[in-house]
mmCIF file of all heavy atoms in Angstrom:
data_model
loop_
_atom_site.group_PDB
_atom_site.id
_atom_site.type_symbol
_atom_site.label_atom_id
_atom_site.label_comp_id
_atom_site.label_asym_id
_atom_site.label_seq_id
_atom_site.Cartn_x
_atom_site.Cartn_y
_atom_site.Cartn_z
ATOM 1 N N THR A 80 -3.005 4.863 1.895
ATOM 2 C CA THR A 80 -3.515 3.829 2.788
ATOM 3 C C THR A 80 -2.351 3.067 3.409
ATOM 4 O O THR A 80 -2.590 2.014 4.033
ATOM 5 C CB THR A 80 -4.349 2.801 1.967
ATOM 6 O OG1 THR A 80 -3.602 2.280 0.896
ATOM 7 C CG2 THR A 80 -5.681 3.419 1.490
ATOM 8 N N ASN A 82 1.304 2.697 5.626
ATOM 9 C CA ASN A 82 2.140 3.176 6.724
ATOM 10 C C ASN A 82 3.559 3.322 6.302
ATOM 11 O O ASN A 82 3.945 2.944 5.187
ATOM 12 C CB ASN A 82 2.014 2.264 7.922
ATOM 13 C CG ASN A 82 0.532 2.047 8.296
ATOM 14 O OD1 ASN A 82 -0.286 3.023 8.356
ATOM 15 N ND2 ASN A 82 0.154 0.829 8.542
ATOM 16 N N GLY A 112 -1.478 10.285 6.997
ATOM 17 C CA GLY A 112 -1.965 11.507 7.604
ATOM 18 C C GLY A 112 -1.256 11.900 8.882
ATOM 19 O O GLY A 112 -1.256 13.074 9.248
ATOM 20 N N ASP A 113 -0.510 10.975 9.504
ATOM 21 C CA ASP A 113 0.237 11.291 10.651
ATOM 22 C C ASP A 113 1.579 11.996 10.350
ATOM 23 O O ASP A 113 2.175 11.716 9.278
ATOM 24 C CB ASP A 113 0.634 9.992 11.465
ATOM 25 C CG ASP A 113 -0.437 9.659 12.479
ATOM 26 O OD1 ASP A 113 -1.334 10.558 12.767
ATOM 27 O OD2 ASP A 113 -0.385 8.547 13.073
ATOM 28 N N TYR A 176 4.831 -4.308 -3.339
ATOM 29 C CA TYR A 176 3.726 -5.227 -3.029
ATOM 30 C C TYR A 176 3.796 -6.449 -3.971
ATOM 31 O O TYR A 176 3.583 -7.577 -3.508
ATOM 32 C CB TYR A 176 2.371 -4.589 -3.356
ATOM 33 C CG TYR A 176 1.986 -3.524 -2.378
ATOM 34 C CD1 TYR A 176 2.181 -2.194 -2.723
ATOM 35 C CD2 TYR A 176 1.488 -3.879 -1.148
ATOM 36 C CE1 TYR A 176 1.836 -1.197 -1.834
ATOM 37 C CE2 TYR A 176 1.117 -2.858 -0.263
ATOM 38 C CZ TYR A 176 1.331 -1.541 -0.570
ATOM 39 O OH TYR A 176 0.969 -0.588 0.274
ATOM 40 N N HIS A 396 4.110 -8.531 15.959
ATOM 41 C CA HIS A 396 3.058 -7.561 15.711
ATOM 42 C C HIS A 396 3.231 -6.374 16.554
ATOM 43 O O HIS A 396 2.790 -5.229 16.285
ATOM 44 C CB HIS A 396 1.752 -8.327 16.011
ATOM 45 C CG HIS A 396 0.581 -7.573 15.669
ATOM 46 N ND1 HIS A 396 -0.674 -7.825 16.110
ATOM 47 C CD2 HIS A 396 0.417 -6.469 14.871
ATOM 48 C CE1 HIS A 396 -1.532 -6.969 15.614
ATOM 49 N NE2 HIS A 396 -0.910 -6.171 14.867
ATOM 50 N N LYS A 567 -1.575 -0.883 21.695
ATOM 51 C CA LYS A 567 -2.655 0.067 21.397
ATOM 52 C C LYS A 567 -3.282 0.517 22.705
ATOM 53 O O LYS A 567 -3.560 1.739 22.840
ATOM 54 C CB LYS A 567 -3.700 -0.683 20.556
ATOM 55 C CG LYS A 567 -4.040 0.091 19.301
ATOM 56 C CD LYS A 567 -5.073 -0.611 18.460
ATOM 57 C CE LYS A 567 -5.880 0.415 17.715
ATOM 58 N NZ LYS A 567 -7.011 -0.179 16.925
ATOM 59 N N LEU A 570 -1.321 3.327 25.291
ATOM 60 C CA LEU A 570 -1.050 4.744 25.003
ATOM 61 C C LEU A 570 -1.577 5.613 26.111
ATOM 62 O O LEU A 570 -2.677 5.435 26.563
ATOM 63 C CB LEU A 570 -1.712 5.149 23.707
ATOM 64 C CG LEU A 570 -0.950 4.999 22.465
ATOM 65 C CD1 LEU A 570 -1.818 5.326 21.298
ATOM 66 C CD2 LEU A 570 0.204 5.986 22.530
ATOM 67 N N THR B 80 1.987 -3.635 4.357
ATOM 68 C CA THR B 80 2.193 -2.287 4.907
ATOM 69 C C THR B 80 1.006 -1.403 4.826
ATOM 70 O O THR B 80 1.091 -0.226 5.112
ATOM 71 C CB THR B 80 3.369 -1.601 4.120
ATOM 72 O OG1 THR B 80 2.939 -1.583 2.746
ATOM 73 C CG2 THR B 80 4.673 -2.317 4.283
ATOM 74 N N ASN B 82 -3.142 -0.442 5.533
ATOM 75 C CA ASN B 82 -4.282 -0.546 6.428
ATOM 76 C C ASN B 82 -5.546 -0.911 5.669
ATOM 77 O O ASN B 82 -5.519 -1.072 4.463
ATOM 78 C CB ASN B 82 -4.463 0.722 7.231
ATOM 79 C CG ASN B 82 -3.215 1.185 7.887
ATOM 80 O OD1 ASN B 82 -2.504 0.356 8.518
ATOM 81 N ND2 ASN B 82 -2.801 2.415 7.726
ATOM 82 N N GLY B 112 -1.404 -6.785 10.397
ATOM 83 C CA GLY B 112 -1.163 -7.681 11.579
ATOM 84 C C GLY B 112 -2.266 -7.653 12.569
ATOM 85 O O GLY B 112 -2.432 -8.576 13.383
ATOM 86 N N ASP B 113 -3.105 -6.562 12.573
ATOM 87 C CA ASP B 113 -4.198 -6.469 13.508
ATOM 88 C C ASP B 113 -5.395 -7.308 13.070
ATOM 89 O O ASP B 113 -5.635 -7.503 11.886
ATOM 90 C CB ASP B 113 -4.685 -4.996 13.585
ATOM 91 C CG ASP B 113 -3.964 -4.239 14.724
ATOM 92 O OD1 ASP B 113 -3.347 -4.909 15.544
ATOM 93 O OD2 ASP B 113 -4.079 -2.983 14.738
ATOM 94 N N TYR B 176 -3.330 2.407 -6.011
ATOM 95 C CA TYR B 176 -2.324 3.460 -5.762
ATOM 96 C C TYR B 176 -2.019 4.267 -7.060
ATOM 97 O O TYR B 176 -1.960 5.468 -6.988
ATOM 98 C CB TYR B 176 -0.978 2.855 -5.334
ATOM 99 C CG TYR B 176 -1.005 2.264 -4.019
ATOM 100 C CD1 TYR B 176 -1.134 0.864 -3.816
ATOM 101 C CD2 TYR B 176 -0.835 3.076 -2.882
ATOM 102 C CE1 TYR B 176 -1.148 0.321 -2.588
ATOM 103 C CE2 TYR B 176 -0.870 2.530 -1.639
ATOM 104 C CZ TYR B 176 -1.028 1.185 -1.467
ATOM 105 O OH TYR B 176 -1.032 0.652 -0.211
ATOM 106 N N HIS B 396 -8.306 13.635 9.504
ATOM 107 C CA HIS B 396 -7.241 12.730 9.968
ATOM 108 C C HIS B 396 -7.772 11.936 11.170
ATOM 109 O O HIS B 396 -7.306 10.842 11.452
ATOM 110 C CB HIS B 396 -6.048 13.587 10.374
ATOM 111 C CG HIS B 396 -4.849 12.804 10.711
ATOM 112 N ND1 HIS B 396 -3.804 13.373 11.384
ATOM 113 C CD2 HIS B 396 -4.527 11.549 10.470
ATOM 114 C CE1 HIS B 396 -2.921 12.452 11.584
ATOM 115 N NE2 HIS B 396 -3.306 11.318 11.014
ATOM 116 N N LYS B 567 -5.110 9.077 19.134
ATOM 117 C CA LYS B 567 -4.023 8.187 19.547
ATOM 118 C C LYS B 567 -3.855 8.220 21.038
ATOM 119 O O LYS B 567 -3.754 7.172 21.683
ATOM 120 C CB LYS B 567 -2.756 8.595 18.833
ATOM 121 C CG LYS B 567 -2.076 7.425 18.083
ATOM 122 C CD LYS B 567 -0.748 7.838 17.487
ATOM 123 C CE LYS B 567 0.157 6.630 17.475
ATOM 124 N NZ LYS B 567 1.460 6.940 16.894
ATOM 125 N N LEU B 570 -6.660 6.473 23.755
ATOM 126 C CA LEU B 570 -6.914 5.079 23.983
ATOM 127 C C LEU B 570 -6.757 4.745 25.435
ATOM 128 O O LEU B 570 -5.879 5.145 26.111
ATOM 129 C CB LEU B 570 -5.832 4.253 23.215
ATOM 130 C CG LEU B 570 -6.260 3.847 21.833
ATOM 131 C CD1 LEU B 570 -5.098 3.176 21.161
ATOM 132 C CD2 LEU B 570 -7.422 2.895 21.902
#
Side-chain angles (χ1 to χ4, degrees):
Chain A
T80 55
N82 306 314
D113 268 348
Y176 290 99
H396 188 198
K567 234 182 151 183
L570 269 174
Chain B
T80 55
N82 306 314
D113 268 348
Y176 289 99
H396 187 198
K567 233 183 151 182
L570 269 175

